[in-house]
Amino acid sequence: MIFSVEALSFRYRRHEPWVVRDFSLGLSPGDFVALLGPNGGGKSTLLKLLAGIIPGAEGVVRYQDRNFLALSPAERALKVAYSPAVFHVEFPMTAEQAVMMGRTASGGGFLRHINESDRASVGEAMELCCCSRLRERDVRELSGGERQLVQLARSIATGAKILFLDEGLSQMDLNHQSAIGKMLRGLATDRGYAIILVAHDVNLAVEWASHCLLMKGGRKIAYGPVEKALTQEHLRELYPDTSFIVGTSPATGSPKVFFSK
Amino acid sequence: MNALFSRTSRAYWTALAAWALSFALALKIGSVPGADFDLIYQLRLPRAILASAVGAGLAIAGAALQALFSNPLCEPYTIGISAGATLGTVVGAVIGTQLIFMGISGLAFVGALVFAVLLLFVARRSTAGSSSLLLAGVMLQFFGASLVSLWMVFADPTGIQGALSWLLGDLSRARLDGAVLSLALVLILSFFLWMDWRALDAFLIGEESALALGVDTHAARRRIIFFVSILVGACVSVAGMVGFVGLLIPHLVRRQVGSLHFSLLPLCVVWGAASLTFADSLARFVARPYELPVGVVTALIGAPFFLWLVMRRGAAA
């Protein structure tokens, strides 16, 4: 196990309801987790807590055997890359410069500017994320899906082997969703990355994910390999107002969720 | 050889040439015709040096504030930090001491710092985003300006004329030793600010993302606010409220070299120096034999630019 959480609880203020409650999870290299759940269920907050973006959580977060939240921001950024759901810039910046920001923590002192290894990581990450052709474009002029490609490339360029991606694929076209899904799967299985991807499109996420994490009201409803976690009972618990049946894709054999009457 | 002609180094050469030109122009022209050695050496030279120092300091402070708050409308003047420094200076005039250190008023620095910290507090507490920051800045300005007006009502009327032109931004009291000291101070502080270029880059995409990228955002923000406050305190205590240099220059330089601070900050220093030196020449020249306060000139150019920025942002959003 490379990354684990035990009994994580968090609320923004005292006497307010818990946003994340008594949450435990362990990630191993090769795990590609689809994080599913209703709006306001604590998914984004959970990712931020795990990445150390929001302070003040109860519980323990460990990277290998070390207290992850006690590390400095730079040390954390070299181990975990977090990318938020929105990517908003008000200033002119090319896609390549935006990806280069992934190298912030590996940069060293203020006298060392960009070097060859930075360029290599950025080039490779942009290639993986199908956004090399956007290199010189201003990120403010990119479409939502293209921005997600750039943001994902930034996370990969950090060199961190744990990726927390908040709505990483939601605005991409089908072609990019498929290419990026496969690519992330490849990072997990071939290079030992551990990935958590927040998604609302269940069918899309479980096409490539190895595990499913279902979350509601700040609590873990189910966690396990996709086939075990993605059941009709769990889905009913997650979304009580809608009924589903769970089947399999005729093409790939992966589990799929269908609306039922 | 290639490096000499790359886009960035071209930008540096252009900026330095612009500064040299405007500096030469500032020595050449003035509100009275003719130019003997004494006139140039005792009046125009100190003034050109002081204009360079103040322009450089305000421009780099503006660039840093825009990144720190990831808001293109920020600068010391629009968010009220200059007003804080002014208030500090006026408080100094009332209690009869400025706590001068290295040629700048310690009280101007304290005033700038207090207002900057108040702004940070508002920015962190409010959920309304970037416009609330600007509104808070405007309120701080009103607050500062009212207290300053109060002081002017009760102050000795013989000093009012000088105080008024200082409030509007005025470089006419420049003396050679003080101007050189100001320039040295601004360059040193600019270097300290530049050391944080990596953090400033990351702040461009928002504080949470900066933290996720490994920037110790709390420590970086403290350092940046501290250096910006000294810079603004230094500029305001010698030149009063000179607005919009800190707004305009960073935007113009970004169009040339992009938003990354490794090159942006040094270029802002040079272009800031060039532009305020030029603006001060205009201020001395257009209404000769009278002189306008330089702050009036920068505001006349800068305020329409600010409006244009607001409209363009509205169109983008």
Side-chain angles (χ1 to χ4, degrees):
Chain A
M1 206 175 292
I2 188 167
F3 192 89
S4 66
V5 231
E6 271 163 47
L8 191 75
S9 292
F10 176 76
R11 51 187 170 184
Y12 283 96
R13 278 170 215 89
R14 270 168 182 276
H15 312 300
E16 278 190 10
W18 296 92
V19 186
V20 171
R21 186 71 176 131
D22 206 17
F23 190 95
S24 300
L25 186 74
L27 283 178
S28 301
D31 289 350
F32 180 1
V33 181
L35 173 50
L36 308 167
N39 297 128
K43 304 186 295 296
S44 297
T45 308
L46 176 70
L47 284 199
K48 285 183 194 175
L49 291 171
L50 295 188
I53 305 294
I54 315 181
E58 295 170 16
V60 189
V61 181
R62 282 205 188 84
Y63 176 82
Q64 289 167 338
D65 285 325
R66 303 163 67 184
N67 179 355
F68 182 68
L69 299 181
L71 301 177
S72 75
E75 286 174 305
R76 288 203 300 263
L78 291 173
K79 294 169 172 57
V80 169
Y82 159 79
S83 87
V86 283
F87 174 27
H88 182 68
V89 193
E90 298 247 22
F91 298 92
M93 187 185 296
T94 67
E96 188 177 29
Q97 289 172 336
V99 177
M100 191 62 83
M101 285 187 183
R103 305 298 295 167
T104 301
S106 27
F110 66 92
L111 283 174
R112 159 148 134 40
H113 201 202
I114 297 160
N115 69 12
E116 280 316 305
S117 86
D118 292 330
R119 279 185 218 287
S121 312
V122 167
E124 192 202 350
M126 293 188 87
E127 202 57 52
L128 279 174
C129 298
C130 322
C131 57
S132 296
R133 72 200 156 78
L134 304 175
R135 192 173 286 145
E136 296 300 324
R137 293 271 303 280
D138 191 321
V139 283
R140 295 174 302 174
E141 290 160 9
L142 298 180
S143 74
E146 287 173 326
R147 263 184 230 206
Q148 288 187 326
L149 293 174
V150 170
Q151 208 181 3
L152 181 61
R154 188 177 74 214
S155 294
I156 291 175
T158 60
K161 291 282 191 110
I162 300 175
L163 306 181
F164 295 151
L165 311 172
D166 201 345
E167 309 235 7
L169 311 179
S170 58
Q171 297 184 54
M172 293 179 192
D173 64 38
L174 287 178
N175 193 22
H176 280 138
Q177 284 179 330
S178 153
I180 297 299
K182 273 184 205 149
M183 185 275 292
L184 289 175
R185 175 96 204 219
L187 287 183
T189 52
D190 304 338
R191 299 208 217 163
Y193 277 60
I195 303 171
I196 300 182
L197 171 71
V198 172
H200 284 294
D201 190 332
V202 183
N203 290 335
L204 186 77
V206 301
E207 185 66 45
W208 302 288
S210 62
H211 290 66
C212 247
L213 170 58
L214 308 183
M215 199 174 169
K216 183 182 184 180
R219 289 171 184 276
K220 183 167 76 179
I221 303 292
Y223 177 69
V226 171
E227 291 77 9
K228 295 227 175 80
L230 200 68
T231 63
Q232 223 144 307
E233 297 81 73
H234 288 149
L235 283 170
R236 193 174 306 128
E237 203 176 336
L238 217 53
Y239 309 104
D241 301 332
T242 317
S243 51
F244 302 99
I245 54 171
V246 179
T248 52
S249 155
T252 59
S254 68
K256 291 289 166 220
V257 174
F258 303 98
F259 292 113
S260 66
K261 281 188 190 164
Chain B
M1 203 59 192
N2 240 347
L4 271 180
F5 296 103
S6 77
R7 193 178 156 81
T8 318
S9 37
R10 261 208 322 276
Y12 277 109
W13 291 121
T14 324
L16 286 168
W19 178 65
L21 266 178
S22 63
F23 201 88
L25 187 72
L27 296 184
K28 188 93 184 74
I29 68 166
S31 50
V32 289
D36 57 59
F37 181 78
D38 277 352
L39 180 70
I40 292 181
Y41 187 73
Q42 293 193 347
L43 290 176
R44 293 185 189 163
L45 179 66
R47 206 166 158 161
I49 294 174
L50 192 66
S52 301
V54 172
L58 291 176
I60 194 174
L65 287 172
Q66 285 165 14
L68 185 65
F69 291 111
S70 44
N71 185 331
L73 300 176
C74 280
E75 67 133 337
Y77 189 71
T78 55
I79 61 175
I81 298 183
S82 295
T86 308
L87 187 59
T89 312
V90 166
V91 167
V94 171
I95 63 175
T97 174
Q98 290 289 349
L99 308 175
I100 300 281
F101 179 71
M102 270 194 79
I104 72 155
S105 156
L107 285 171
F109 158 67
V110 171
L113 190 64
V114 167
F115 273 33
V117 170
L118 273 173
L119 275 169
L120 270 182
F121 189 71
V122 171
R124 300 195 66 192
R125 276 301 167 93
S126 80
T127 48
S130 58
S131 52
S132 64
L133 178 73
L134 287 162
L135 290 174
V138 171
M139 285 308 125
L140 285 181
Q141 259 192 66
F142 279 143
F143 183 74
S146 325
L147 288 180
V148 171
S149 309
L150 195 66
W151 164 69
M152 288 176 72
V153 168
F154 291 110
D156 176 14
T158 52
I160 289 292
Q161 187 65 36
L164 194 61
S165 82
W166 171 75
L167 280 176
L168 293 170
D170 179 30
L171 293 161
S172 63
R173 294 170 308 152
R175 288 186 40 217
L176 192 59
D177 50 351
V180 170
L181 193 61
S182 292
L183 186 61
L185 187 71
V186 163
L187 291 179
I188 292 167
L189 290 168
S190 298
F191 178 76
F192 284 136
L193 210 47
W194 175 79
M195 283 169 67
D196 262 320
W197 60 268
R198 224 186 282 273
L200 285 164
D201 283 354
F203 273 117
L204 288 176
I205 55 173
E207 194 179 328
E208 278 191 355
S209 297
L211 183 57
L213 289 176
V215 174
D216 187 344
T217 45
H218 292 276
R221 193 173 45 213
R222 268 203 300 273
R223 281 195 302 273
I224 292 163
I225 281 293
F226 180 74
F227 290 129
V228 163
S229 299
I230 311 184
L231 271 170
V232 175
C235 293
V236 168
S237 62
V238 295
M241 300 261 273
V242 179
F244 299 103
V245 178
L247 183 75
L248 244 126
I249 299 304
H251 284 291
L252 296 179
V253 176
R254 275 193 202 98
R255 297 187 83 128
Q256 205 182 7
V257 295
S259 303
L260 303 188
H261 295 83
F262 191 81
S263 306
L264 178 70
L265 295 183
L267 281 167
C268 279
V269 166
V270 184
W271 274 112
S275 61
L276 196 65
T277 312
F278 182 70
D280 190 47
S281 300
L282 273 185
R284 286 180 293 136
F285 189 71
V286 286
R288 65 191 182 287
Y290 301 105
E291 290 185 358
L292 302 177
V294 68
V296 170
V297 174
T298 60
L300 286 176
I301 302 171
F305 180 80
F306 182 89
L307 290 178
W308 176 76
L309 266 182
V310 171
M311 282 191 292
R312 206 189 52 167
R313 275 184 94 212

